[in-house]
Amino acid sequence: IVTRNFQHGAVDRALIDDPYDYNRDGLVNGTDQIIARENQTNPLTMLRLITTPAVDAAIKQLAEQEATDPEATSATLDWLAEYEQMNSKKESARDDKNVEAAVDKLLATGWRK
């Protein structure tokens, strides 16, 4: 009903943040009304909002996990260290290729000191 009451056409286009322009085409028309009708919710199908746990609780949970299974935490940290090392090698190789390409370009253009 609200979509029908706040329609926008080609002359009076809807703003980018118009809450009733569901398909974001700049028009609030019958298409948006159909979208609203086909996507109705009720208490059983409505979006359930959650509250994320506090950072302190997450740190506490990680500390408890480490106390009960230190090998799992150690394995995770080892994996992260290996991953970072692999990525730094790839970036280093890319940097070397960039330097080589720059030197080749300078030599090809007859650059001299």
Side-chain angles (χ1 to χ4, degrees):
I1 293 173
V2 178
T3 304
R4 185 181 62 213
N5 292 338
F6 292 101
Q7 291 191 9
H8 291 278
V11 177
D12 179 29
R13 304 217 28 117
L15 298 176
I16 189 72
D17 61 346
D18 191 305
Y20 310 114
D21 185 13
Y22 300 121
N23 59 357
R24 297 292 179 222
D25 63 352
L27 306 171
V28 179
N29 54 16
T31 305
D32 296 297
Q33 291 177 34
I34 291 169
I35 291 170
R37 275 190 221 125
E38 290 179 354
N39 293 289
Q40 293 182 21
T41 59
N42 60 42
L44 297 176
T45 61
M46 69 182 189
L47 179 64
R48 305 237 188 285
L49 302 177
I50 61 170
T51 304
T52 58
V55 174
D56 294 336
I59 292 172
K60 182 179 177 184
Q61 181 182 4
L62 183 61
E64 289 172 358
Q65 180 183 1
E66 185 176 324
T68 58
D69 191 8
E71 287 184 15
T73 305
S74 176
T76 302
L77 292 175
D78 290 344
W79 179 85
L80 286 172
E82 287 178 27
Y83 181 75
E84 287 178 4
Q85 188 178 18
M86 286 174 31
N87 281 342
S88 66
K89 285 181 183 177
K90 287 179 185 176
E91 289 175 8
S92 175
R94 277 189 229 134
D95 291 342
D96 291 344
K97 288 180 184 179
N98 290 339
V99 169
E100 289 176 11
V103 170
D104 289 343
K105 188 174 183 179
L106 286 173
L107 293 174
T109 59
W111 175 79
R112 297 187 194 273
K113 203 174 190 183

